[in-house]
Amino acid sequence: MGGCAGTERLTAVPSDMTVRALPLGLPNARFFPATQSAELIAEGRKAVQRQRQALGLAKDAPMPPTQFLALSGGGDDGAFGAGLLVGWSDAGTRPEFQLVTGVSTGALIAPLAFLGTRYDPELRAVYTTISADDVYKKRFFTSALFDDALSDTTPLWLLISRFVDEGMMANIATEYRKGRLLFIGTTDLDAQRPCLWNIGAIADSGRPGALHLIREILRASSAIPGMFQPLLIDVELDGRKYQELHVDGGAIAQMFLYPPNIALRDQPYRNRKAYLILNARENAEWTATKPQTLTIVGRAISTMIKYSGTNDTLRLYTTTQRDGVDYNLAAIGDDFTTPHPAGNFDTAYMNAEFDYAYRQARHGYPWKKKPPQLAARQN
């Protein structure tokens, strides 16, 4: 029992100073959207200025059309998003995205999607060659009482570190300087707030520890509370060191694009398209649930996650319609009939799902113009 002590940590950031605490001393490393909309708008405007400069456009010249990509959580169902993106590339119609966002498994896809088709081999490998052993190790049952999670995600850390290296960070920094943005969502448990990490700014900072922080953010965004280890992230405030406890961004939202308190309709006009990839089944997936505590809890949590994701698609639809952004949604349809195995990250299942999405995208994905709640359905 003595070896089962909980995770030790430095002092948490005082509640009235959350926004002032800085990772790596960077004021734009991350944003709390509920209270930092002005800072987010400023970051967006600076990105547009950098894009103008990269394109050689005059100050008053109209901006070209822009595309956004949002990638949801979904665990091993991230194979759907990976397959769709690779198939889209092979169809020759995949655009370059000005903004890419990701949560949980979507956070793992996001850097590869952000950097474009040259990273498709890595994207395919991550979702077709790994197994559960490459993501987590189960702990002894007493970890439910004495530790920070039921599983050790050191394997996931090693997987992230293999793909997210100095070269990738340099490439992300290059794209950031061209005006493109990559945001990853986590949940600050201490503050009970969503946190949007500005990966490009971190990559371009030149600060020691930048690569380590990016890896930590990706691991934290995938940290399903209770199942996977949370991440302690170092911050500084008035010369003193603190630590924040971060978990899966899906604890608050399975998918995000930009905060609804930012109205793009109030920004200079440009043609905008949003592509939303929901790494989950569009409709409910029936199963006979055993009347056992852990089974009931697990099924209830997966149900909450599912409907959190579908509600996010509705929220994003409302926001994009308000702002005149073209809405395009992809999700796993009823025509994917491979049943999900009892365990997670089954290689054969992920390959089947990757191939399903790839085939659809390769021949022109049928993007939906409305979320499931509003789309007409035949019973």
Side-chain angles (χ1 to χ4, degrees), residues 164-347:
V164 183
D165 56 13
E166 292 282 355
M168 175 182 277
M169 185 172 72
N171 290 335
I172 291 173
T174 297
E175 297 306 314
Y176 177 76
R177 291 192 292 272
K178 294 177 184 176
R180 299 178 63 218
L181 296 173
L182 171 61
F183 284 106
I184 300 298
T186 67
T187 299
D188 182 338
L189 275 188
D190 298 323
Q192 280 192 326
R193 294 189 188 188
C195 182
L196 308 186
W197 293 90
N198 192 1
I199 303 299
I202 297 170
D204 192 45
S205 69
R207 303 291 174 89
L211 179 59
H212 182 79
L213 177 58
I214 291 171
R215 290 168 173 172
E216 282 190 320
I217 293 164
L218 297 180
R219 188 180 180 185
S221 187
S222 306
I224 304 169
M227 293 299 297
F228 290 173
Q229 292 167 285
L231 264 289
L232 289 168
I233 295 181
D234 296 330
V235 295
E236 294 183 10
L237 177 62
D238 298 331
R240 183 177 175 183
K241 295 184 181 298
Y242 296 88
Q243 282 184 321
E244 300 172 341
L245 192 66
H246 286 258
V247 297
D248 193 335
I252 291 177
Q254 288 293 311
M255 180 189 293
F256 71 96
L257 195 57
Y258 56 92
N261 58 359
I262 296 178
L264 290 187
R265 64 184 177 187
D266 297 333
Q267 305 303 315
Y269 174 77
R270 66 190 300 187
N271 186 289
R272 300 179 176 98
K273 284 189 175 183
Y275 295 94
L276 316 176
I277 299 180
L278 181 65
N279 293 302
R281 293 182 184 261
E282 184 176 13
N283 298 317
E285 188 175 13
W286 187 93
T287 188
T289 306
K290 294 181 180 179
Q292 298 172 345
T293 301
L294 291 180
T295 304
I296 293 170
V297 170
R299 180 65 171 170
I301 290 174
S302 66
T303 301
M304 286 189 287
I305 290 173
K306 173 182 174 51
Y307 284 98
S308 172
T310 55
N311 288 337
D312 287 336
T313 65
L314 180 59
R315 170 177 53 81
L316 291 174
Y317 178 77
T318 302
T319 303
T320 54
Q321 294 303 292
R322 178 198 68 188
D323 293 337
V325 179
D326 186 31
Y327 178 96
N328 300 272
L329 173 67
I332 304 169
D334 292 337
D335 54 340
F336 179 65
T337 57
T338 302
H340 197 291
N344 291 314
F345 300 99
D346 178 85
T347 307

Side-chain angles (χ1 to χ4, degrees), residues 13-97:
V13 178
S15 60
D16 59 339
M17 299 181 181
T18 299
V19 174
R20 291 182 52 217
L22 301 179
L24 300 182
L26 292 173
N28 65 337
R30 52 86 180 280
F31 303 96
F32 295 99
T35 56
Q36 291 188 292
S37 59
E39 290 86 345
L40 269 168
I41 291 172
E43 183 71 13
R45 287 176 175 167
K46 290 176 183 177
V48 171
Q49 291 172 2
R50 294 194 301 272
Q51 188 186 20
R52 280 188 179 279
Q53 185 175 7
L55 295 174
L57 295 176
K59 180 179 180 181
D60 297 327
M63 293 294 290
T66 187
Q67 289 81 30
F68 305 148
L69 175 67
L71 298 152
S72 83
D76 52 9
D77 282 329
F80 171 76
L84 193 156
L85 286 164
V86 175
W88 199 357
S89 296
D90 289 351
T93 56
R94 178 174 152 189
E96 179 180 85
F97 302 103

